[in-house]
Amino acid sequence: MKWQGGGWDLEVLVTGYPGKAVLHGGLGWSTVVLLRGHGRIVVLDGGGYGLRRPLAEHLKQRGIALSDVTDLLISHSHHDHSVNWPMFRQARIWIGRVELAWALGVPWGETSVPEHTIEALSRWPTLQLMDDGDEVLPGIVARLAPGHTPGHLIFVMTGDRQDCVLLQDAVKNRVELTTRRTDMTYDPAVSRATIDMVWEICRERPGCLLIPGHDLPMVVENGVPRPIGTQQAGIRAWFGGSLDETTRYDLGPLEGTP
Ligand SMILES: [Zn+2]
């Protein structure tokens, strides 16, 4: 999906998935966004390790080498959003000041923060810290949106006809937005206050495009989020007798699911 505004061309390169494995924990299938404009090439987050090759391929298909990326925005420190910063290590790498301080202090082995990756990032020469309210790039304003993590940032963009908010895991999916309840939060009340802030932004910006971290993009019309596109996800498994023989499982919603 694509959006234009404020001198930016936005494209969702990878659409995050609203689900978890039954026995194997979080899938970490998260949204990755590409922004081009103002002479810059910007990537938001970058998925997990498994996305390295597909992400490089998505960029290559658009004529973008990894070294062409000028800025990497990191919404929060969880592995499925932050771990690929070394792909873009010559770029300016942006993370929230509050988020980095929190991530450096978490007990090892207990959270979804990739401890060594974040520690290396904290010493990286192109690291840039963001604060609440900063206009990080022309027309892209960071807003502190705690709950999922203490220093999570969302990015608000003012468009020519339609505004856009990059939510990532502050609001992971449509159900969290509509119910104001969240999975994976350190404090449900803090998350709820963040979701209320997002609703406030939507009221101020009618027809706003929302891009969550683990779901389809959605447009809020008359207070109701309408998903854009269809969820495409699946896995292939080797249950047969040869490498060529795989069973495919589609992980989209069942027929008739709204
Ligand atoms: Zn997360």
Side-chain angles (χ1 to χ4, degrees):
M1 99 131 279
K2 296 182 180 182
W3 174 89
Q4 274 188 328
W8 294 101
D9 287 315
L10 178 152
E11 194 174 350
V12 178
L13 290 184
V14 180
T15 301
Y17 184 77
K20 287 179 165 177
V22 176
L23 299 177
H24 299 81
L27 293 169
W29 292 354
S30 59
T31 297
V32 180
V33 174
L34 172 68
L35 289 156
R36 284 178 280 190
H38 301 272
R40 310 203 71 81
I41 299 176
V42 183
V43 172
L44 170 67
D45 291 344
Y49 285 127
L51 201 65
R52 284 188 172 183
R53 285 171 70 169
L55 177 55
E57 192 55 38
H58 283 307
L59 292 168
K60 192 176 160 194
Q61 283 166 4
R62 289 156 181 80
I64 301 169
L66 296 180
S67 57
D68 293 337
V69 173
T70 61
D71 298 84
L72 176 69
L73 298 176
I74 298 177
S75 65
H76 69 298
S77 58
H78 283 163
H79 64 89
D80 54 323
H81 297 259
S82 70
V83 82
N84 285 337
W85 75 259
M87 292 174 71
F88 310 104
R89 58 191 175 278
Q90 72 300 315
R92 295 192 296 184
I93 301 167
W94 302 82
I95 192 169
R97 189 185 308 276
V98 174
E99 182 70 5
L100 182 65
W102 170 76
L104 288 171
V106 296
W108 281 24
E110 294 183 17
T111 73
S112 297
V113 174
E115 298 88 354
H116 295 297
T117 302
I118 293 297
E119 211 271 324
L121 176 61
S122 74
R123 288 182 277 105
W124 194 251
T126 62
L127 175 70
Q128 305 279 327
L129 296 177
M130 300 178 271
D131 290 303
D132 184 31
D134 282 355
E135 186 173 352
V136 179
L137 288 156
I140 303 179
V141 176
R143 298 275 299 266
L144 188 63
H148 182 67
T149 62
H152 192 298
L153 291 172
I154 62 172
F155 300 94
V156 180
M157 302 178 69
T158 301
D160 309 328
R161 283 191 300 276
Q162 181 190 38
D163 297 341
C164 174
V165 187
L166 305 170
L167 295 169
Q168 296 300 67
D169 289 4
V171 185
K172 294 191 289 301
N173 56 53
R174 186 157 51 105
V175 176
E176 291 191 347
L177 183 69
T178 52
T179 64
R180 298 161 67 239
R181 293 186 62 215
T182 43
D183 183 47
M184 287 189 71
T185 173
Y186 70 89
D187 185 334
V190 175
S191 275
R192 193 170 299 127
T194 281
I195 294 175
D196 288 345
M197 178 183 79
V198 170
W199 276 114
E200 191 57 44
I201 293 171
C202 291
R203 273 190 289 274
E204 289 164 5
R205 300 163 185 265
C208 187
L209 173 69
L210 301 178
I211 302 180
H214 294 268
D215 207 347
L216 295 168
M218 46 198 166
V219 173
V220 176
E221 289 164 348
N222 303 317
V224 180
R226 175 175 57 81
I228 299 169
T230 49
Q231 188 79 50
Q232 290 182 319
I235 54 176
R236 286 186 296 129
W238 287 283
F239 293 135
S242 80
L243 269 183
D244 300 327
E245 198 183 326
T246 56
T247 311
R248 183 187 157 120
Y249 297 89
D250 283 313
L251 297 175
L254 297 174
E255 207 70 40
T257 306

